[in-house]
Amino acid sequence: MARRIDNDIKQYYSDRAYEYDKTYLRPERQKDIKELHRLLKTLFKDQNVLEVACGTGYWTNTIASVSKFITAVDINDEVLQIAKSRGIPSNKVNFVKDDVYLLSKIQNDFSAGFAGSWWSHISKSKLKPFITLFHSKLRLNALVVFIDNRRVKRSSTPISGIDIHGNTFQIRKLEDGREYEILKNFPTKKEIRETLGKKVKNLKIQFLKYFWIVSYNI
Ligand SMILES: C[S@@+](CC[C@H](N)C(=O)[O-])C[C@H]1O[C@@H](n2cnc3c(N)ncnc32)[C@H](O)[C@@H]1O
């Protein structure tokens, strides 16, 4: 089951690549998006960042404007091509095609880690193993930041189903009419805290109207 869920997510984002960035133009979300750009620019100043599931490089671009260097990983060629076309200087970024559940091409020497709208796509049974692997690629005391979506009535796609583990699903439709059922979880602050456990330091969880952002050190 987990493999089918992961393949569906991979396929959906490959097919959605060319319409993905429209999500960042939604008028009601602009205030939050502006605040996220501001927070990311503060947090990642001068860091050597590992970003996973970078997609079209929307946040990569913002982080690269202040960080020392960013290594941005995604599994789909279609989104990586768009990310590469943003014109981020080559001495600031390296895009790598890899699976976030393996990170086999990634060495462990980063001062910071980041993932945008990725936590929500991880099934509950894979969340802790993913976080352990992600942390293993970062230096001691590294900064970790996740941002993700909150579920907001009349703005979020409705929940189409829930499985026995409590994972929730949405039916997503592309502009050409193709439909996909995608795992999308909306954790509470308590769930985020419990998932990260007691070992992380300086944990900050902030819920904006449409997004949440968590930062901590390992
Ligand atoms: C919701 S998008 C987030 C994109 C970007 N981080 C953002 O916030 O705009 C999720 C991304 O995860 C990528 N993805 C899906 N499965 C993956 C996997 N197993 N390994 C690496 N990337 C994956 C998709 O290609 C997609 O670009």
Side-chain angles (χ1 to χ4, degrees):
M1 182 66 176
R3 175 176 281 170
R4 192 186 70 83
I5 289 172
D6 296 337
N7 282 339
D8 287 351
I9 289 171
K10 176 175 180 276
Q11 187 61 49
Y12 168 65
Y13 282 108
S14 166
D15 293 347
R16 188 184 165 192
Y18 294 96
E19 53 188 84
Y20 184 81
D21 280 4
K22 289 184 186 169
T23 191
Y24 292 115
L25 300 176
R26 297 172 73 167
E28 75 278 14
R29 300 189 178 191
Q30 292 313 303
K31 187 168 171 251
D32 278 10
I33 289 171
K34 196 172 164 202
E35 175 63 0
L36 291 175
H37 282 291
R38 190 189 69 77
L39 289 168
L40 295 181
K41 281 186 180 175
T42 307
L43 287 161
F44 288 116
K45 189 153 174 33
D46 298 328
Q47 300 276 9
N48 178 19
V49 185
L50 171 62
E51 178 185 9
V52 293
C54 67
T56 59
Y58 180 82
W59 298 114
T60 320
N61 200 22
T62 297
I63 295 170
S65 71
V66 297
S67 65
K68 207 176 275 170
F69 195 82
I70 180 162
T71 300
V73 175
D74 201 284
I75 204 164
N76 277 316
D77 288 318
E78 293 76 6
V79 296
L80 284 171
Q81 244 173 37
I82 296 170
K84 284 176 188 167
S85 74
R86 285 187 188 272
I88 304 171
S90 59
N91 64 344
K92 293 287 256 177
V93 71
N94 183 25
F95 289 103
V96 179
K97 184 178 174 176
D98 204 350
D99 186 329
V100 297
Y101 296 115
L102 300 174
L103 296 178
S104 55
K105 297 181 191 156
I106 302 299
Q107 304 300 311
N108 49 347
D109 190 31
F110 297 90
S111 66
F114 172 71
S117 297
W118 176 244
W119 178 305
S120 54
H121 286 311
I122 305 173
S123 58
K124 289 180 188 272
S125 63
K126 288 182 109 171
L127 194 50
K128 281 188 186 169
F130 157 73
I131 288 170
T132 302
L133 175 67
F134 190 34
H135 287 179
S136 77
K137 300 292 173 179
L138 310 176
R139 285 181 207 155
L140 192 68
N141 290 321
L143 167 75
V144 182
V145 179
F146 289 99
I147 61 175
D148 220 306
N149 306 91
R150 292 191 66 192
R151 196 173 147 211
V152 181
K153 264 192 197 158
R154 283 187 289 277
S155 183
S156 308
T157 311
I159 299 297
S160 58
I162 178 162
D163 70 11
I164 51 164
H165 310 290
N167 294 299
T168 49
F169 293 79
Q170 296 175 327
I171 306 277
R172 301 274 188 97
K173 209 171 178 173
L174 295 184
E175 286 168 1
D176 65 9
R178 280 177 291 173
E179 279 190 1
Y180 306 75
E181 190 168 39
I182 294 299
L183 182 150
K184 182 82 178 174
N185 287 326
F186 298 93
T188 61
K189 282 186 182 175
K190 184 168 174 262
E191 283 169 328
I192 294 170
R193 219 175 282 119
E194 281 171 5
T195 302
L196 294 172
K198 293 209 167 91
K199 283 193 197 148
V200 304
K201 293 170 282 182
N202 310 319
L203 178 62
K204 258 195 214 148
I205 307 174
Q206 204 181 331
F207 272 37
L208 308 178
K209 183 158 185 202
Y210 295 94
F211 297 89
W212 55 264
I213 175 165
V214 58
S215 64
Y216 56 90
N217 296 92
I218 56 169

